[in-house]
């Protein structure tokens, strides 16, 4: 393990003013999003779409790392440049999703555990050769009646820790993503309790397995009320509760925390991140974004599966990246959206 390299890569991923673009949708997820817009679910369309996401050279001003899917890291842009090389050329560290997805947790109805450890050492070595310098593994935790169970939290945290050690052994920075889903009727207090329990368990397992905390990035959910909760907490309270939770679970050696968006609207995700950075002057870690949907959805609609729309759609994602870049500094305001429009 080259700890200095891991630290340097992690620092580049969460550099001031920058965050991470999650463009690692597996085929089922990508197909679902394309189908909603009537876009053909073909390999060529996925390639064209991802070419569009990285078309603007200025993306490198706001994006420090991009998470690719297995298919994409083996493809070239429409100009014939391998995606990992395109990323490096515009100053973005290439990364790769390495989990094999969340599967039903045996004997625990309604709960999931993420798979993908078998053969991971060999896959990581190949991804490193293909240009990846960091990896991502996502655990999914559902809030519901009597869940999550302790068994679910422990199983997922243990798998995340095993994955993280394998990544560091292979000189890849692990993004550790314990996602507590935002779906449900739960209150923000319940979200806090479950998120706290999930993160505490993750750091216990990371420590147990000997993961170098200086060479990783945490990708958590924000502490929000469930989407169907009758009284949803406002932006200030989300920021306050999320920071309170992170302060009690995340050791100061962790260089960066890059939030997932989890189905929030684009502007909501940006506002929440901004509020946290406006509040948190003395935090030990950088607070940034690693959004999938909240960076991509407007651009996907603008592209709509038509190559003639690539240039316009590339400007749409560049705008969202710029807004989130401002939020990492606590300098975003909704007026900036209108000014740009
Ligand atoms: C981009 O979506 C990622 C891939 O999901 P699947 O493996 O289910 O296809 C996902 O892991 C993503 O990186 C995070 O969940 C954050 O995405 P959002 O959309 O929540 O910001």
């Amino acid at each position: 393990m080259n700890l200095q390299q891991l630290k340097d890569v992690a620092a580049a991923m969460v550099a001031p003013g920058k965050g991470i673009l999650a463009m690692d949708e597996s085929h089922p997820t990508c197909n679902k999003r394309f189908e909603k817009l009537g876009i053909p679910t073909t390999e060529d369309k996925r390639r064209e779409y991802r070419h569009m996401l990285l078309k603007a050279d200025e993306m490198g001003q706001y994006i420090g790392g991009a998470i690719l899917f297995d298919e994409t890291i083996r493809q070239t842009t429409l100009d014939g440049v391998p995606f990992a090389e395109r990323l490096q050329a515009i100053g973005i560290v290439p990364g790769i999703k390495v989990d094999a997805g969340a599967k039903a947790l045996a004997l625990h109805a309604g709960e999931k555990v993420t798979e993908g450890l078998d053969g991971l050492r060999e896959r990581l070595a190949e991804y490193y050769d293909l240009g990846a310098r960091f990896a991502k593994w996502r655990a999914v935790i559902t809030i519901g009646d009597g869940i999550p169970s302790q068994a679910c939290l422990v199983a997922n945290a243990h798998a995340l820790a095993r994955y993280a050690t394998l990544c560091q052994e292979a000189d890849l920075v692990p993004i550790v993503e314990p996602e507590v889903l935002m779906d449900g009727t739960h209150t923000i207090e319940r979200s806090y309790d479950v998120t706290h329990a999930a993160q505490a368990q993750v750091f216990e397992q990371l420590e147990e397995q000997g993961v170098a905390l200086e060479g990783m990035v945490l990708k958590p959910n924000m502490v929000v009320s469930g989407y169907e909760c009758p009284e949803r907490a406002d932006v200030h309270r989300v920021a306050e509760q999320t920071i309170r939770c992170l302060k009690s679970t995340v050791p100061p050696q962790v260089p960066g925390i890059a939030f997932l968006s989890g189905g929030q609207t684009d502007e909501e995700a940006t506002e929440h991140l901004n509020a946290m950075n406006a509040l948190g002057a003395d935090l030990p870690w950088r607070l940034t974004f690693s959004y999938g949907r909240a960076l991509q959805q407007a651009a996907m609609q603008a592209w709509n599966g038509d190559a003639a729309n690539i240039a316009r759609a590339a400007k749409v994602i560049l705008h969202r990246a710029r807004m989130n870049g401002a939020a990492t500094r606590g300098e975003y305001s909704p007026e900036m959206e209108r000014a740009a429009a």
Side-chain angles (χ1 to χ4, degrees):
M1 171 174 89
N2 181 341
L3 184 57
Q4 192 53 52
Q5 180 182 320
L6 295 174
K7 283 167 145 177
D8 292 345
V9 169
M13 291 161 65
V14 299
K18 296 188 186 187
I20 296 166
L21 167 60
M23 48 182 287
D24 58 313
E25 295 83 2
S26 55
H27 292 336
T29 305
C30 193
N31 292 348
K32 198 168 69 187
R33 304 211 169 126
F34 278 14
E35 274 160 10
K36 261 194 199 156
L37 298 172
I39 299 167
T41 55
T42 61
E43 178 174 350
D44 282 349
K45 279 293 162 195
R46 289 192 292 272
R47 174 173 170 230
E48 181 182 308
Y49 175 63
R50 285 157 171 161
H51 166 94
M52 178 279 291
L53 295 176
L54 302 173
K55 181 175 166 57
D57 290 353
E58 302 92 314
M59 286 291 280
Q61 292 173 24
Y62 313 106
I63 302 294
I67 314 168
L68 303 176
F69 182 57
D70 180 78
E71 175 182 83
T72 320
I73 203 169
R74 300 173 194 284
Q75 286 173 329
T76 63
T77 64
L78 299 184
D79 313 309
V81 180
F83 273 99
E85 273 177 36
R86 169 68 188 152
L87 288 169
Q88 281 154 356
I90 56 174
I92 300 176
V93 183
I96 182 77
K97 180 233 291 295
V98 301
D99 66 64
K103 308 288 162 62
L105 179 64
L107 303 184
H108 291 80
E111 300 198 274
K112 294 188 164 171
V113 64
T114 302
E115 296 186 351
L117 288 171
D118 289 352
L120 183 56
R121 176 177 272 129
E122 293 72 24
R123 289 196 292 126
L124 293 177
E126 188 194 4
Y127 286 138
Y128 192 96
D129 290 343
L130 288 167
R133 290 297 174 269
F134 72 92
K136 191 202 83 172
W137 177 291
R138 169 173 171 252
V140 180
I141 291 140
T142 306
I143 299 182
D145 264 355
I147 61 171
S149 63
Q150 183 67 3
C152 173
L153 297 182
V154 172
N156 277 293
H158 181 73
L160 277 165
R162 292 272 321 279
Y163 140 82
T165 56
L166 284 160
C167 286
Q168 292 191 334
E169 182 190 81
D171 294 332
L172 290 159
V173 171
I175 292 188
V176 173
E177 181 180 2
E179 174 173 7
V180 177
L181 295 178
M182 297 172 185
D183 307 294
T185 57
H186 54 272
T187 61
I188 190 167
E189 288 79 11
R190 175 97 170 110
S191 170
Y192 179 95
D193 290 344
V194 174
T195 303
H196 189 280
Q199 290 174 0
Q201 188 56 236
V202 163
F203 282 99
E204 201 175 310
Q205 296 285 338
L206 291 175
E207 193 187 331
E208 181 88 22
Q209 296 298 320
V211 173
L213 301 179
E214 311 90 309
M216 63 162 276
V217 170
L218 179 71
K219 176 165 173 167
N221 53 288
M222 297 176 191
V223 175
V224 300
S225 320
Y227 288 128
E228 289 85 42
C229 177
E231 281 188 35
R232 302 201 65 220
D234 64 14
V235 171
H236 182 76
R237 191 154 156 73
V238 167
E240 204 181 54
Q241 292 305 304
T242 304
I243 288 184
R244 182 165 79 95
C245 185
L246 294 170
K247 273 185 167 171
S248 74
T249 58
V250 186
Q253 298 95 312
V254 173
I257 297 174
F259 294 101
L260 59 93
S261 58
Q264 300 177 65
T265 66
D266 299 356
E267 292 191 29
E268 216 176 13
T270 310
E271 281 187 61
H272 283 147
L273 177 63
N274 187 68
M276 282 185 253
N277 280 304
L279 272 180
D282 58 347
L283 298 173
W285 357 260
R286 301 202 51 74
L287 286 186
T288 185
F289 58 93
S290 176
Y291 297 160
R293 283 163 288 180
L295 275 170
Q296 294 183 43
Q297 50 209 1
M300 188 184 288
Q301 281 169 17
W303 168 64
N304 204 25
D306 184 345
N309 296 330
I310 288 178
R312 192 164 59 84
K315 285 189 184 143
V316 174
I317 187 161
L318 179 61
H319 167 74
R320 278 278 30 98
R322 188 183 297 124
M323 294 300 100
N324 285 299
T328 68
R329 301 182 189 275
E331 292 171 357
Y332 166 82
S333 72
E335 290 69 47
M336 291 163 70
E337 308 275 0
R338 284 183 278 284

